[in-house]
Amino acid sequence: MKKIQSALISVFNKDGLEPLLHVLNANGVKFYSTGGTQDFIEKLGYEVEAVENITSYPSIFGGRVKTLHPAVFGGILHRRDNENDLKEKEAHQIPAIDLVVVDLYPFEATVASGASHSDIIEKIDIGGISLIRAAAKNYKDVLIVSNRTQYAEVENILNLQKGASSEEQRKHFAMEAFDESSHYDSMIFGYFNQNEDSDSLKISIRNRTTLRYGENPHQQGHFYGNLDEVFEKIAGKEISYNNLVDLEGAVALLEEFDETAFVIVKHTNACGVATGNSVLEAYNRALQADPVSAFGGILATNKTVDLATAEEINQLFYEILVAPDFEPEALELLSSKKNRILVKQVAPIPGKIQFKSLINGVLVQDKDLKTEDKSDLKVATKIAPSDAQIDDLLFAAKICKHTKSNTIILVSKGQLLASGVGQTSRVDALRQAIAKAKSFNFELKGSVMASDAFFPFPDCVEIAHGEGIDTVIQPGGSIKDQDSINYCDENKMAMVLTGIRHFKH
C-alpha cells in the first residue's frame, strides 16, 4: 500500500471532481495544478500550488505547453526504490507526485459536433496524454486517474484505505489509462485518415457486453459497441450472440422498405417477408411463407405494433420482436411472456464498413448499400415485365441481397413465397424454393424469380418455366447469358438484368 502525499490535477471537465478533491484534502494530500483546474480548486477553498512554481516556466502558446517539463515528469517517473533516481530527484529539487488526475480535451466529441478543422486540432491533448502515459508506466509508485468516470471509484478506494492504494489497484488503473490513451490516439488517427488510404486498421470500441455464451454454449461471447444507440430493449431475457446476428439481419432487410413491411428471420435468412396495408396484414402474409421456420425466429416491422397484431403474434413462439414502437395495450400483452424479447429500434444501423476476422487477420469491405430501382433494370427479352411485375422483381431483389448465397427468391404480389438459401448450386437453390412453396400450398404460376448472381446455364429458367414462373431478375454477366435469354424469348418469359451481383457468404 502506498499513501498519496501529492497529486497533480489537470482536467478539462470538472464535473464530479469536487468529492474526490474533498477526500484527497481530508487525507492531507498536497495539490498541484494549472489554469482552469487550479482556479476551480482554489474556489473550493483548498490550497493548491501552481505547476509554474515547480517548473519556473509559465504556461505558453495559449496553454499549449503547461506541464511538459522535466520537473513535472521527473516527479511522476522517478522510481521510489531506485537510489540513483532519488539522488537525482533531490539534486534537481523535483517534488514527488503520487497521484495524477487527468480528463483529456474532448477530441471525439468535438469531431462529432461538426466543429471546424482548426477547432478540432486544438482539441488534440498533448500534455494530458503525456501525463497519463507517464503515470501509468510508473504504476508501482503512482496512481493514475485518466477519466472522470473513475472519480467515484477512486474516491471510494481512498475513503476505505485512508488515502492509500495497493499496487494491484494502481496496475488496474494503469491498464485503463493505456486504454484511454490508445482510444484517444485511434480517434485522432481516424480523423486524419478520413481522406487518406493508410495501410493500418485501427478500431477502438470501448463498451463491452458479456453475453450468455457465443454461437454455442461452449464458446464465450462478447459484444463490443453501444447497442443503446440503435436498440432499446423494453422486455424479455438478455439478448444472446445468435440473437444479435439475426437481429441485424432482420433489421438490415427491413430497412430496404418504406412501405409497411414485416420480416421474419431464422439463422440470418428471411423465412417470411411481406408488405401490407397494415402491420397485421403484413405479418400474416409474412408468416404464410414458412410458419414452421418462423418458430423461434426474429420478427421485425417498420411500423408501430398495435393490439390486433400483438394478439396474432402472441400465438407464436419467437425470440425477438423489433419495431419502432408498441401501442400500450400491445406492449402489455406481449410483455406477459417473460422470455420473449421486445426491442424498439431508435435509429438506423450505422456504418458503411464491415469487418470479419479471418485466418490471422481481418477482412474489411464496404457494406452492400446498393438497392436496385427501376433505373437499374435492363429488359433483356422481347417481352417486358408489367409495372406490377417490376414491383415484385424489385421486392425479390431486396430479399436476395440479404440472403445467403447461392439463393433463389420466389415472390408474388409483395409476398415472399419461398427461398432457396445457402446452396452449392443455383439449381439446388431453385428446387429448394419450389419444394418449400409447394409445401405451403402456394401457386407459383405468375410469380417472379430473383437470383443473387448470374445463370451460367439456362437450366434455372427452364425449371422456373415448368412451374409457371414467367418473370426473372438477375445480374447477368455470364458468357452464356444469351442462352437463358433465348429460352425466355422462346417461352414468352420476361427477364431483366441489373448488372449488380449480391453474393452473401
Side-chain angles (χ1 to χ4, degrees):
M1 301 290 286
K2 284 187 178 289
K3 186 169 175 58
I4 297 168
Q5 305 290 338
S6 58
L8 171 59
I9 304 169
S10 179
V11 301
F12 180 85
N13 190 317
K14 284 67 173 182
D15 291 348
L17 182 61
E18 183 176 349
L20 177 59
L21 292 171
H22 178 74
V23 171
L24 292 170
N25 184 70
N27 282 278
V29 175
K30 180 178 178 61
F31 295 145
Y32 296 101
S33 193
T34 64
T37 307
Q38 180 183 344
D39 292 341
F40 180 82
I41 296 171
E42 288 174 340
K43 286 177 181 177
L44 293 174
Y46 302 131
E47 290 186 13
V48 55
E49 185 169 346
V51 167
E52 288 90 334
N53 293 345
I54 302 175
T55 64
S56 300
Y57 220 92
S59 173
I60 57 176
F61 309 130
R64 278 191 165 200
V65 180
K66 291 181 285 192
T67 57
L68 294 168
H69 194 281
V72 173
F73 283 84
I76 297 169
L77 283 165
H78 76 276
R79 291 159 289 190
R80 276 64 165 175
D81 58 357
N82 184 295
E83 187 175 340
N84 287 332
D85 282 11
L86 294 175
K87 286 179 180 179
E88 286 188 71
K89 169 186 173 297
E90 293 305 318
H92 296 288
Q93 297 181 322
I94 297 173
I97 297 172
D98 307 316
L99 167 67
V100 175
V101 181
V102 173
D103 182 65
L104 296 170
Y105 290 168
F107 176 84
E108 193 173 357
T110 304
V111 173
S113 74
S116 67
H117 177 70
S118 60
D119 286 343
I120 289 169
I121 295 304
E122 287 307 310
K123 288 299 186 291
I124 297 176
D125 205 311
I126 303 300
I129 207 81
S130 302
L131 291 171
I132 286 174
R133 291 178 62 84
K137 176 177 180 175
N138 202 25
Y139 72 87
K140 284 185 66 178
D141 299 308
V142 180
L143 176 62
I144 174 63
V145 180
S146 56
N147 190 297
R148 65 179 181 272
T149 60
Q150 300 168 337
Y151 293 168
E153 183 181 0
V154 173
E155 177 192 342
N156 186 54
I157 288 171
L158 299 183
N159 264 325
L160 291 174
Q161 297 170 186
K162 299 179 180 179
S165 64
S166 69
E167 184 171 337
E168 182 181 2
Q169 289 166 338
R170 293 191 297 276
K171 187 175 181 181
H172 168 76
F173 281 101
M175 177 274 292
E176 292 200 341
F178 285 120
D179 174 40
E180 186 75 25
S181 65
S182 64
H183 177 78
Y184 197 78
D185 284 341
S186 292
M187 295 302 102
I188 296 170
F189 169 79
Y191 174 74
F192 277 91
N193 192 43
Q194 289 178 97
N195 299 312
E196 300 289 337
D197 188 21
S198 171
D199 289 337
S200 296
L201 172 65
K202 299 185 188 300
I203 305 167
S204 180
I205 304 174
R206 310 188 72 185
N207 298 317
R208 185 179 80 167
T209 301
T210 299
L211 306 173
R212 296 199 304 273
Y213 49 80
E215 202 162 9
N216 299 291
H218 62 277
Q219 297 169 270
Q220 290 187 346
H222 305 281
F223 176 78
Y224 288 86
N226 187 358
L227 273 179
D228 293 341
E229 292 178 355
V230 182
F231 300 115
E232 177 190 351
K233 186 170 83 71
I234 55 177
K237 61 186 179 182
E238 291 302 309
I239 298 176
S240 72
Y241 180 102
N242 291 332
N243 287 159
L244 287 173
V245 174
D246 285 343
L247 181 60
E248 193 212 27
V251 170
L253 173 53
L254 188 65
E255 288 180 350
E256 300 282 356
F257 298 96
D258 295 321
E259 64 269 46
T260 300
F262 209 102
V263 170
I264 304 173
V265 163
K266 193 75 168 288
H267 297 298
T268 73
N269 294 307
C271 57
V273 184
T275 56
N277 294 317
S278 66
V279 178
L280 178 59
E281 181 185 5
Y283 167 71
N284 284 330
R285 298 182 79 222
L287 185 63
Q288 286 173 355
D290 190 347
V292 175
S293 296
F295 182 87
I298 307 296
L299 280 55
T301 183
N302 54 3
K303 305 297 180 183
T304 298
V305 175
D306 56 25
L307 179 59
T309 307
E311 287 172 340
E312 287 295 317
I313 290 174
N314 206 43
Q315 299 176 42
L316 176 73
F317 171 73
Y318 58 87
E319 285 284 327
I320 299 179
L321 171 59
V322 57
D325 207 350
F326 298 82
E327 290 185 355
E329 298 86 352
L331 181 59
E332 182 180 1
L333 174 64
L334 295 168
S335 300
S336 64
K337 297 186 177 180
K338 302 302 180 184
N339 284 333
R340 299 181 190 179
I341 302 167
L342 303 180
V343 173
K344 284 185 183 181
Q345 184 176 4
V346 296
I349 295 175
K352 296 181 179 180
I353 302 294
Q354 288 179 317
F355 307 92
K356 184 177 183 179
S357 62
L358 194 70
I359 310 174
N360 63 342
V362 178
L363 281 174
V364 181
Q365 69 169 354
D366 296 336
K367 281 187 177 180
D368 185 357
L369 298 176
K370 175 60 181 176
T371 299
E372 290 88 340
D373 57 31
K374 290 182 181 180
S375 66
D376 295 307
L377 306 185
K378 176 186 176 183
V379 178
T381 50
K382 294 175 182 177
I383 296 176
S386 67
D387 288 345
Q389 287 172 326
I390 288 175
D391 288 342
D392 274 347
L393 291 172
L394 294 174
F395 181 95
K398 290 174 181 178
I399 303 172
C400 247
K401 172 182 166 182
H402 295 274
T403 305
K404 291 287 180 71
S405 301
N406 288 307
T407 185
I408 293 289
I409 302 295
L410 304 179
V411 162
S412 180
K413 299 175 182 176
Q415 180 184 30
L416 172 66
L417 303 185
S419 56
V421 302
Q423 298 301 303
T424 51
S425 85
R426 205 155 300 281
V427 169
D428 286 345
L430 175 56
R431 286 176 173 153
Q432 181 190 53
I434 291 169
K436 179 167 281 193
K438 287 182 175 180
S439 72
F440 294 111
N441 300 313
F442 281 112
E443 173 58 60
L444 291 176
K445 186 176 181 180
S447 63
V448 308
M449 174 174 74
S451 173
D452 60 331
F454 63 64
F455 297 119
F457 305 102
D459 44 11
C460 282
V461 290
E462 292 171 6
I463 295 169
H465 176 251
E467 299 295 335
I469 300 165
D470 57 9
T471 313
V472 180
I473 184 170
Q474 58 127 332
S478 168
I479 59 173
K480 294 187 177 182
D481 274 348
Q482 197 60 44
D483 291 352
S484 294
I485 294 168
N486 289 343
Y487 183 88
C488 289
D489 281 337
E490 291 164 7
N491 293 276
K492 298 181 180 179
M493 296 174 67
M495 177 183 287
V496 298
L497 306 179
T498 66
I500 302 162
R501 191 184 74 183
H502 289 296
F503 271 166
K504 185 181 180 190
H505 291 91

